[in-house]
């Protein structure tokens, strides 16, 4: 019995001829290479440092997304008093599929210490804000996104080829957690 051939003509040709090159574009390759490098993490930390000089609330949101891997909607809807638990960060609002998820603490003590510092700053920030959330007061969801993106755009002067966006903060989080896990495995040996 023959496998189902995809409807995309380029994929049909690639499936028939195994010598056809990959259809991944150079920009996607650059994005993947950038995501796997340590340089992305340093670029994100530099961006957070620049944003902190003029917009400390947005810098805290960036730091929260970097250290926990939250999406922008999750970070804006986060209520730190309800979300920070002894097991990690419990995200209940603004998730992509509507389900709650738990982001556990890292394994290395240095990374855990950094996570706890960011979470305690989030608690202090939410005590001052109306509604005890990390979001902007009186702005709708779309307005909050645009405001955050405008602030990042003003500070996005980077030496790297690809400018840092809030999606890159999640990629940098994945890189940090990979390094954390590998460092923990080396300590365990």
């Amino acid at each position: 019995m023959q496998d189902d051939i995809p409807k995309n003509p380029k994929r049909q040709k690639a499936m028939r001829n195994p010598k056809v090159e990959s259809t991944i574009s150079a920009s996607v390759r650059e994005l993947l290479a950038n995501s796997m490098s340590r340089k992305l993490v340093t670029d994100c930390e530099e961006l957070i440092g620049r944003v902190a000089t003029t917009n400390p609330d947005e810098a805290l949101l960036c730091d929260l997304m970097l250290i926990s891997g939250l999406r922008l909607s999750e970070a804006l809807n986060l209520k730190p008093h309800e979300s920070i638990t002894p097991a990690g960060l419990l995200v209940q609002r603004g998730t992509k599929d509507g389900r709650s998820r738990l982001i556990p603490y890292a394994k290395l003590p240095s990374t855990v210490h950094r996570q706890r510092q960011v979470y305690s700053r989030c608690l202090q920030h939410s005590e001052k804000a109306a509604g005890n959330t990390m979001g902007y007061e009186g702005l709708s969801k779309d307005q909050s996104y645009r405001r955050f993106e405008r602030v990042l755009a003003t500070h996005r002067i980077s030496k790297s080829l690809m400018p840092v966006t809030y999606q890159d903060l999640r990629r940098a989080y994945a890189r940090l957690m990979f390094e954390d896990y590998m460092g923990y495995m080396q300590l365990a040996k």
Side-chain angles (χ1 to χ4, degrees), residues 4-183:
D4 292 337
I5 296 176
K7 303 288 185 211
N8 187 345
K10 289 183 181 178
R11 296 198 91 197
Q12 286 177 352
K13 187 175 182 181
M15 287 184 73
R16 290 184 190 136
N17 187 358
K19 296 179 183 178
V20 173
E21 289 187 27
S22 175
T23 57
I24 297 176
S25 67
S27 61
V28 174
R29 285 189 183 135
E30 290 172 7
L31 179 68
L32 291 173
N34 190 20
S35 297
M36 291 184 268
S37 72
R38 179 75 176 132
K39 187 176 183 320
L40 177 66
V41 176
T42 57
D43 286 347
C44 290
E45 289 171 348
E46 286 175 14
L47 175 72
I48 292 170
R50 284 193 304 266
V51 171
T53 59
T54 57
N55 303 82
D57 294 342
E58 284 80 5
L60 180 60
L61 278 173
C62 288
D63 214 5
L64 179 64
M65 287 191 287
L66 176 64
I67 204 66
S68 63
L70 293 178
R71 294 177 180 89
L72 181 57
S73 62
E74 294 170 342
L76 288 172
N77 292 322
L78 185 73
K79 289 191 174 188
H81 290 288
E82 297 173 4
S83 300
I84 298 172
T85 65
L89 189 68
L90 181 64
V91 182
Q92 298 171 338
R93 293 177 183 83
T95 59
K96 187 175 180 179
D97 58 358
R99 297 183 205 163
S100 61
R101 64 184 177 115
L102 179 70
I103 300 168
Y105 286 110
K107 302 216 181 274
L108 289 178
S110 60
T111 311
V112 171
H113 179 67
R114 183 173 175 194
Q115 284 178 328
R116 290 186 190 271
Q117 283 181 334
V118 171
Y119 295 161
S120 67
R121 287 185 8 227
C122 289
L123 284 170
Q124 293 170 356
H125 176 269
S126 69
E127 289 172 357
K128 298 174 190 174
N132 293 330
T133 65
M134 296 297 296
Y136 304 110
E137 297 177 32
L139 294 180
S140 70
K141 181 180 174 181
D142 292 335
Q143 291 171 334
S144 298
Y145 280 15
R146 284 193 298 261
R147 178 177 174 178
F148 185 77
E149 287 175 351
R150 274 195 310 265
V151 168
L152 284 188
T154 59
H155 294 282
R156 203 178 283 150
I157 306 163
S158 179
K159 297 174 187 171
S160 65
L161 296 174
M162 302 186 75
V164 177
T165 62
Y166 64 88
Q167 291 94 349
D168 292 328
L169 294 169
R170 294 192 69 214
R171 285 190 205 90
Y173 164 75
R175 176 65 188 179
L176 284 174
M177 289 302 105
F178 173 74
E179 290 174 359
D180 180 73
Y181 179 74
M182 295 307 291

